[in-house]
Amino acid sequence: MRLIETEIARQDWKGMLCGCGDQAGHLAGQLLRLAGRGPEQRPVRVSFEEHVWSPAVLWEPAPAVTSVALAALADEVEPVAREGFLELLHLLVAGEGTDRENARRGVDLPARCRSLAAQGIWLLYREVMSNRSPGPAGSAFEILTVIEPDRARLQRVREIAAEWLPVCCRTGLCDDDFDDGTGRA
């Protein structure tokens, strides 16, 4: 069993309510498909919109999916799967709201996802510095702009990785509130 399967197995999917209104048990299979470990035996693009995230809110499975995405980055997955997990992780850390039921219980799902993602900060830096391709490097950098408290370190990596980062990351457009420590945004 690999890291991603281990992380999927440790989550209580059936105990979570999915954004689609069902139990979240079906998400485990979808995550395996994205990782290339489903019946197709190759990575398959899967949409988690309206299951884990929407433009307005995150749903209960979001922290569990965040943990699985980090496990995928630490695991051996194909580049297309890695890119899919980075995109998914970016959507989760950029989330702004919590579904009504969890909000009523005082749960802040975006904060939980950002906190979990921060535990994998060095995985994200590795993605940026690996120079595999601008897409994944840019996604990882954009995630870092949300979770990295050390803005000077982030700026230094921006300078080092400028050649292979997308324009929005090189110029700061992806983090227009970025403060490099000089007081200038």
Side-chain angles (χ1 to χ4, degrees):
M1 187 178 281
R2 292 182 163 169
L3 294 174
I4 190 165
E5 287 93 346
T6 301
E7 191 59 27
I8 289 172
R10 65 179 288 280
Q11 303 299 328
D12 179 18
W13 300 105
K14 291 181 182 176
M16 292 181 235
L17 184 62
C18 183
C20 70
D22 291 334
Q23 291 179 332
H26 62 283
L27 295 178
Q30 298 297 73
L31 290 161
L32 286 171
R33 289 182 70 216
L34 177 57
R37 309 225 172 98
E40 300 88 351
Q41 292 299 301
R42 63 176 172 72
V44 174
R45 287 291 182 154
V46 179
S47 175
F48 292 92
E49 186 172 9
E50 302 303 329
H51 295 275
V52 178
W53 70 274
S54 77
V57 299
L58 299 181
W59 280 283
E60 188 175 9
V65 171
T66 299
S67 291
V68 171
L70 289 169
L73 296 180
D75 208 340
E76 296 296 322
V77 295
E78 293 184 37
V80 68
R82 181 173 293 293
E83 190 167 349
F85 279 109
L86 281 165
E87 290 168 6
L88 180 57
L89 186 58
H90 186 226
L91 290 166
L92 297 173
V93 301
E96 295 181 12
T98 298
D99 69 271
R100 184 172 297 149
E101 181 60 32
N102 282 289
R104 185 179 6 226
R105 294 188 324 225
V107 177
D108 185 341
L109 292 173
R112 281 191 180 177
C113 291
R114 288 189 287 272
S115 177
L116 286 165
Q119 294 175 27
I121 200 165
W122 294 110
L123 292 171
L124 295 164
Y125 274 115
R126 182 182 72 194
E127 286 297 322
V128 172
M129 298 307 291
S130 69
N131 193 11
R132 293 180 199 170
S133 71
S139 291
F141 192 86
E142 287 186 40
I143 294 165
L144 287 166
T145 67
V146 175
I147 65 168
E148 171 60 271
D150 186 338
R151 304 316 266 186
R153 177 170 50 209
L154 187 63
Q155 178 60 26
R156 181 66 183 129
V157 169
R158 179 192 313 267
E159 293 163 1
I160 293 167
E163 286 183 38
W164 59 87
L165 285 174
V167 172
C168 65
C169 296
R170 285 194 308 258
T171 61
L173 290 176
C174 66
D175 57 341
D176 58 2
D177 62 342
F178 182 83
D179 181 354
D180 64 3
T182 66
R184 296 176 285 132

